[in-house]
Amino acid sequence: MRRLCLLILCAAVAFEPLRASDKLSLTDTLLEGKVSQTFLDNHDMAFQMRGSLRTEIPEGGDASARFRMDNFRWNMEGTFGRNKELYYHFRQSFNANFRTNTFDNLLESVDYAYMMWTPVKVFSLTFGKQVMALGGQEAWAAPVYVIQYSDFGGSFPCYQLGIMGTWHISPTQDLAFQVSNIRGLWDDEYFYGGLPDGVESSKAPFLYTVNWNGNFFNDALELRWSASYGSQAGKKDLWIVELGQSYRSRWWGVYLDLIYSRQDLDANGIISRAAVFSDGVPRTMENVEYFSAIGYLHLFLSPSFSAFLKGSIEHGSLFRPYGDIPDGLCRSSWNAQACLEYMPTKSRDFRLFLHYNYYNASPVGGGSLLGILPTREHRVTLGLIYIMNIY
């Protein structure tokens, strides 16, 4: 018995320096609850879900109704490092295609897969797949909350691999410079009708973006402005300017996004998909311009009820003639939305909503020569949004 006690004492003395220096084994630390406590403090994981019963009523067509999962994403993010100087963010959609992009070699369904390093307080570097640093509010909103995007916002592939450096000018202002892939697929897969004849692939198809974000009046007023330039293909470029401004008070919030894009090749594909040619062959339109104005008003009626109104006016045009089709406006659309939200538990992570959407698109100017047809649709959606926080 004395020998057993002596062995136990020697073992305790042998392991005491290790414990004194806090170099615990993973098992010991878990038993003491230290790793779990630290991990939960610095990391978050959640499932973001929006499901609905949707009724679509196209003018001149048959109405239809169905249950559907509009949005389902897995989101994980957190910080680590001695001073929490490293931050990671991963988000994957279960509604998107699970194929591997041929250009960036990453699943198309992955929105975020990046790490941000903040070596000093006033500067940070972001590496990996991230959202393009475009201005405006719609581009930065969590997709689970955006029931209907604008034509431009819903058709531009804004999650791409790249690198971004951000100068944190002050606690309320940031200036960022980002270089990212302009697309995740090769040309013939990305452009609606492939590359036009005689156009060569770009050797460096990157998008370069300068973005400024500013908050004023105790964060009530927020400005998100950006300018982007990209190389689409040989001697084919793209420009995007986005100006977003928002204001929020205790009982209401509002934003206005203004977007202008000039594209030598139709990156959004809005006009290309709307055009109908007599031979039935899809074509990638050239020399297109897009302008969008998006307005949003959110009313916080009570801790359990809120409502929002959203609308957009968008134009597509040619800035050079396309064959016999003159330059100028060729397509216009407008969208009106109204939504009532009910939060039975008074938590914004769980809400029921009733949403109405009206969409109208029609040819203007040379649009009829492109075979663009008018489109009108009413949609009523009854659904729920739930953010399931795992930890």
Side-chain angles (χ1 to χ4, degrees):
M1 184 67 180
R2 290 180 179 178
R3 290 182 179 179
L4 177 61
C5 292
L6 183 60
L7 287 173
I8 294 174
L9 179 61
C10 290
V13 172
F15 280 101
E16 182 60 29
L18 179 64
R19 291 187 178 275
S21 61
D22 288 329
K23 294 180 180 178
L24 299 177
S25 69
L26 180 60
T27 303
D28 290 336
T29 311
L30 285 171
L31 288 174
E32 295 189 12
K34 291 184 178 180
V35 162
S36 59
Q37 182 66 34
T38 303
F39 185 86
L40 294 179
D41 287 344
N42 298 324
H43 304 267
D44 294 296
M45 176 179 171
F47 286 98
Q48 305 173 353
M49 295 174 283
R50 186 178 78 240
S52 68
L53 169 60
R54 174 182 288 190
T55 302
E56 297 178 347
I57 312 171
E59 291 192 9
D62 296 328
S64 63
R66 55 176 167 158
F67 290 100
R68 52 174 278 148
M69 182 63 70
D70 301 309
N71 196 285
F72 187 17
R73 281 173 162 85
W74 168 37
N75 187 82
M76 188 170 181
E77 56 190 311
T79 59
F80 59 96
R82 183 180 297 274
N83 298 310
K84 298 183 180 181
E85 67 274 15
L86 295 171
Y87 166 83
Y88 71 90
H89 194 174
F90 175 84
R91 190 176 77 194
Q92 184 176 16
S93 171
F94 295 98
N95 303 102
N97 202 317
F98 272 70
R99 68 178 178 179
T100 301
N101 282 340
T102 54
F103 189 81
D104 62 23
N105 198 36
L106 188 64
L107 284 179
E108 188 175 323
S109 59
V110 174
D111 294 338
Y112 292 138
Y114 69 82
M115 180 176 291
M116 182 171 66
W117 175 43
T118 307
V120 292
K121 187 176 180 180
V122 297
F123 182 75
S124 61
L125 278 172
T126 304
F127 312 84
K129 192 168 185 180
Q130 55 198 281
V131 67
M132 289 178 172
L134 303 176
Q137 301 297 320
E138 188 184 59
W140 288 86
V144 70
Y145 294 121
V146 185
I147 300 175
Q148 178 64 46
Y149 277 95
S150 64
D151 282 351
F152 190 92
S155 60
F156 195 78
C158 62
Y159 300 110
Q160 299 294 340
L161 276 167
I163 183 171
M164 178 172 66
T166 305
W167 174 27
H168 306 288
I169 303 171
S170 72
T172 60
Q173 295 190 58
D174 294 330
L175 182 64
F177 177 70
Q178 183 188 63
V179 182
S180 68
N181 289 341
I182 204 169
R183 48 183 166 75
L185 300 168
W186 290 107
D187 299 315
D188 289 340
E189 300 171 279
Y190 175 71
F191 293 108
Y192 176 69
L195 282 182
D197 293 339
V199 177
E200 297 181 355
S201 296
S202 173
K203 304 302 181 184
F206 296 145
L207 187 75
Y208 307 88
T209 300
V210 177
N211 172 272
W212 172 73
N213 301 322
N215 292 277
F216 306 93
F217 308 118
N218 294 321
D219 294 337
L221 175 65
E222 181 180 38
L223 304 178
R224 287 183 176 273
W225 295 352
S226 71
S228 305
Y229 163 79
S231 172
Q232 296 181 288
K235 299 182 180 180
K236 299 291 183 181
D237 302 325
L238 172 148
W239 294 87
I240 305 174
V241 176
E242 295 204 21
L243 305 177
Q245 31 279 317
S246 67
Y247 185 87
R248 176 167 176 156
S249 69
R250 181 180 178 185
W251 296 109
W252 60 276
V254 62
Y255 75 70
L256 174 65
D257 286 353
L258 302 174
I259 305 171
Y260 170 75
S261 181
R262 184 181 177 98
Q263 307 173 4
D264 288 342
L265 297 176
D266 190 1
N268 290 76
I270 298 173
I271 296 178
S272 298
R273 285 178 170 82
V276 179
F277 295 94
S278 57
D279 57 9
V281 177
R283 290 173 172 79
T284 299
M285 297 297 298
E286 301 181 60
N287 306 319
V288 302
E289 289 179 313
Y290 291 112
F291 172 78
S292 300
I294 307 160
Y296 179 89
L297 171 64
H298 206 139
L299 303 172
F300 307 102
L301 306 175
S302 75
S304 297
F305 285 93
S306 67
F308 72 77
L309 300 173
K310 182 178 178 180
S312 64
I313 298 176
E314 302 181 80
H315 299 297
S317 61
L318 303 178
F319 61 84
R320 289 196 183 98
Y322 184 83
D324 297 333
I325 302 166
D327 57 352
L329 283 175
C330 59
R331 183 184 185 274
S332 291
S333 68
W334 63 279
N335 171 242
Q337 304 176 44
C339 185
L340 178 65
E341 298 175 313
Y342 171 54
M343 290 150 283
T345 62
K346 298 183 181 181
S347 169
R348 296 191 179 275
D349 289 340
F350 175 62
R351 64 184 77 177
L352 305 174
F353 66 87
L354 178 63
H355 181 268
Y356 169 74
N357 182 81
Y358 176 71
Y359 180 77
N360 183 315
S362 57
V364 293
S368 57
L369 298 176
L370 283 171
I372 296 176
L373 301 175
T375 302
R376 296 180 183 85
E377 181 186 72
H378 302 267
R379 183 192 305 156
V380 179
T381 304
L382 177 64
L384 64 86
I385 297 173
Y386 182 41
I387 309 298
M388 183 189 297
N389 296 297
I390 308 300
Y391 53 78

